[in-house]
Amino acid sequence: MKMHSYWLDTATPSGDYTRTEVPKEVDVAVVGGGFTGLSTALHAARAGKSVALLEANTVNWGASGRNGGMATTGLAIGFRDAIKRYGEERAVGYFREYNKAIDLIEDIVEENELDVDYERSGKMNLAWKPSHFEGMKQTAEALKRLVGQPVELVNRANIRSEIGSDVYHGAMVDPLGAGLHVGKFGHALAGLAIDAGATIHEKAEVVDVERVGSGTVHDLKTTRGNLRAGAVVLGTSGYTGKPFGWQQRRVIPVGSFIVVTEPLPRNVVDELLPNRRMASDSKNFIYYFRITPDNRLLFGGRARFALSDPSQDKESGDILTKAMHRVFPQVRDARIDYMWGGLVDISMDQMVHAGERKGIHYSLNYSGHGVQMASYMGKVMADAVSGKPEANIWSDLKNPWIPGYFGQPWLHLRVGGAYFGLQDKFS
């Protein structure tokens, strides 16, 4: 069994950027080599900017290479909750951004003829309890009426048409959700950014940032050299750290863990997920799962509120394996080939937060929806540094500091885990 990402293990890097020379000056410095940073670099370079992308590890090393490979519709907080919080008009606008995000990925894939196993096979949200399915009925009605979203409900009697499990009490299916090989996609974005004129610098951790004057110009000190940038874009999500303390205090990194089986026989795959949906359930301690391009079952979840490191990944992976066997007893004898963890970036309100703070542009807090939103927000950030900030509809959202949080998430994880566990029990 391999204790690292299946996606990164089965993708070919676009290049070795560990020795590229860090330029002395650029129009845009992008901090973070995940989808936010890579998309920003690509779109800013295509807009004529000189761009240097700075990554502390290697391209796709963080959440972008460790997730479930799902580009799905919908807000993290749920559409009806968004209406209650923001009103119908704003909730609809926020929801449609996620549709636009998937459309952008599809456009990038098709226009550049990328071989990244992209397929729009749909998203399925599964009801863990009967009351959750009743809520899905209300959500489906609101989505059809206000957004025109083509969602469909599947009751428990017909659940086997969508999933080979009797655990769930119904489902809501949205055909606009998609899946892709995120390892291949990340490296493809890196290659496109290089082709557009950007430079990528791996093992180049930003250790200090100093503002020059009162504008967006900054001097950045990295472990591989220093540079001056006309604008800085921060896209480090759950791996945000010093020297970006203001943003760090608004992101709690939460571990999300995944196990992947050996390749399964076609008849087993057809029973598990006959329509190859991207699937997740309605718990706070969420399970999410899909079939990989080579017919493995990928099964992920928060398992427990913990960070990701080798010991936590193994313990959480074992918990997930037991959960997978409960949901899908058909794979009880299947070998586990991969087990790994990564960090989801969650904010107080579970909304995307993007804007400018003391001259630094940032886009963070995707709350488990980063495949599509990070890719999309990279383009939004490129527009912002090109003088078109109106593309960012998230900029007026309040972005509160997490009380008592200074970048050490252990206490908040324990409290959050207990709180969400109780919600799952009594919802």
Side-chain angles (χ1 to χ4, degrees), residues 27-30 37-52 193 196-198 233 378-379 381-383 385-386:
D27 295 328
V28 183
V30 180
L38 292 167
S39 180
T40 301
L42 167 62
H43 290 100
R46 285 183 172 176
K49 303 289 186 181
S50 59
V51 181
V233 176
K379 183 178 185 301
M381 290 293 98
D383 287 342
V385 299
S386 299

Side-chain angles (χ1 to χ4, degrees), residues 7-8 10-12 35 60 64-65 116 180-188:
W7 304 116
L8 298 183
T10 56
T12 302
F35 292 165
N60 239 25
S64 296
V116 296
L180 68 161
H181 191 302
V182 289
K184 294 179 181 179
F185 183 63
H187 289 302

Side-chain angles (χ1 to χ4, degrees), residues 86-153:
Y86 303 111
E88 287 186 356
E89 183 177 354
R90 291 183 73 187
V92 168
Y94 292 146
F95 188 97
R96 284 177 172 160
E97 289 292 282
Y98 286 72
N99 286 349
K100 293 178 186 177
I102 302 173
D103 290 342
L104 176 66
I105 290 177
E106 188 165 293
D107 289 344
I108 292 172
V109 170
E110 292 181 351
E111 290 171 7
N112 298 282
E113 299 181 344
L114 301 182
D115 179 14
V116 296
D117 300 305
Y118 174 84
E119 185 177 3
R120 208 149 197 175
S121 54
K123 163 196 174 181
M124 175 169 59
N125 191 21
L126 292 148
W128 184 250
K129 294 184 177 182
S131 61
H132 296 178
F133 187 59
E134 293 303 311
M136 288 178 185
K137 292 178 181 178
Q138 297 175 45
T139 298
E141 187 280 327
L143 283 171
K144 289 180 179 180
R145 175 171 52 87
L146 296 173
V147 185
Q149 199 76 2
V151 294
E152 296 296 336
L153 293 166

Side-chain angles (χ1 to χ4, degrees), residues 77-81 84 95 123-145 149-156 159 162-163 167-174 278-284 286-287 289 427:
I77 63 170
F79 185 57
R80 287 185 296 124
D81 287 337
K84 292 177 184 176
F95 188 97
K123 163 196 174 181
M124 175 169 59
N125 191 21
L126 292 148
W128 184 250
K129 294 184 177 182
S131 61
H132 296 178
F133 187 59
E134 293 303 311
M136 288 178 185
K137 292 178 181 178
Q138 297 175 45
T139 298
E141 187 280 327
L143 283 171
K144 289 180 179 180
R145 175 171 52 87
Q149 199 76 2
V151 294
E152 296 296 336
L153 293 166
V154 181
N155 61 27
R156 185 163 191 171
I159 199 70
E162 288 287 350
I163 181 173
V167 168
Y168 295 105
H169 295 266
M172 183 172 70
V173 174
D174 188 332
M278 306 294 109
S280 62
D281 66 22
S282 57
K283 301 190 308 304
N284 288 294
I286 186 175
Y287 299 150
F289 40 88
S427 64

Side-chain angles (χ1 to χ4, degrees), residues 5 62-63 65-70 239 252-259 284-289 298-309 312-314 316-317 320 339-346 367-369 413:
S5 169
R66 301 173 187 238
N67 57 73
M70 305 179 187
Y239 298 87
I252 289 186
V254 174
S256 187
F257 306 91
I258 292 175
V259 295
N284 288 294
F285 276 81
I286 186 175
Y287 299 150
Y288 55 88
F289 40 88
L298 178 152
F299 194 97
R302 299 204 175 128
R304 57 203 183 98
F305 272 62
L307 291 180
S308 173
D309 63 44
Q312 301 285 358
D313 293 355
K314 179 64 169 64
S316 296
L320 277 178
M339 182 180 291
W340 75 91
L343 299 179
V344 176
D345 54 331
I346 296 179
S367 298
H369 293 254
L413 288 177

Side-chain angles (χ1 to χ4, degrees), residues 138-294:
Q138 297 175 45
T139 298
E141 187 280 327
L143 283 171
K144 289 180 179 180
R145 175 171 52 87
L146 296 173
V147 185
Q149 199 76 2
V151 294
E152 296 296 336
L153 293 166
V154 181
N155 61 27
R156 185 163 191 171
N158 295 306
I159 199 70
R160 283 276 177 164
S161 67
E162 288 287 350
I163 181 173
S165 176
D166 297 318
V167 168
Y168 295 105
H169 295 266
M172 183 172 70
V173 174
D174 188 332
L176 299 186
L180 68 161
H181 191 302
V182 289
K184 294 179 181 179
F185 183 63
H187 289 302
L189 284 179
L192 292 174
I194 293 293
D195 291 344
T199 59
I200 296 176
H201 312 278
E202 297 173 324
K203 305 296 183 181
E205 181 181 0
V206 176
V207 295
D208 191 36
V209 178
E210 184 176 345
R211 192 176 190 181
V212 180
S214 59
T216 61
V217 177
H218 286 78
D219 287 332
L220 292 85
K221 181 179 180 181
T222 85
T223 52
R224 288 188 46 215
N226 304 332
L227 73 159
R228 175 166 289 187
V232 176
V233 176
L234 179 67
T236 45
S237 291
Y239 298 87
T240 303
K242 296 177 180 179
F244 303 100
W246 186 88
Q247 287 85 1
Q248 183 188 31
R249 290 190 295 272
R250 286 155 175 79
V251 176
I252 289 186
V254 174
S256 187
F257 306 91
I258 292 175
V259 295
V260 176
T261 70
E262 64 183 319
L264 301 171
R266 179 62 181 265
N267 66 306
V268 175
V269 172
D270 287 344
E271 180 182 357
L272 299 180
L273 289 166
N275 301 308
R276 305 302 190 269
R277 309 287 193 201
M278 306 294 109
S280 62
D281 66 22
S282 57
K283 301 190 308 304
N284 288 294
F285 276 81
I286 186 175
Y287 299 150
Y288 55 88
F289 40 88
R290 59 163 295 181
I291 302 299
T292 67
D294 57 352

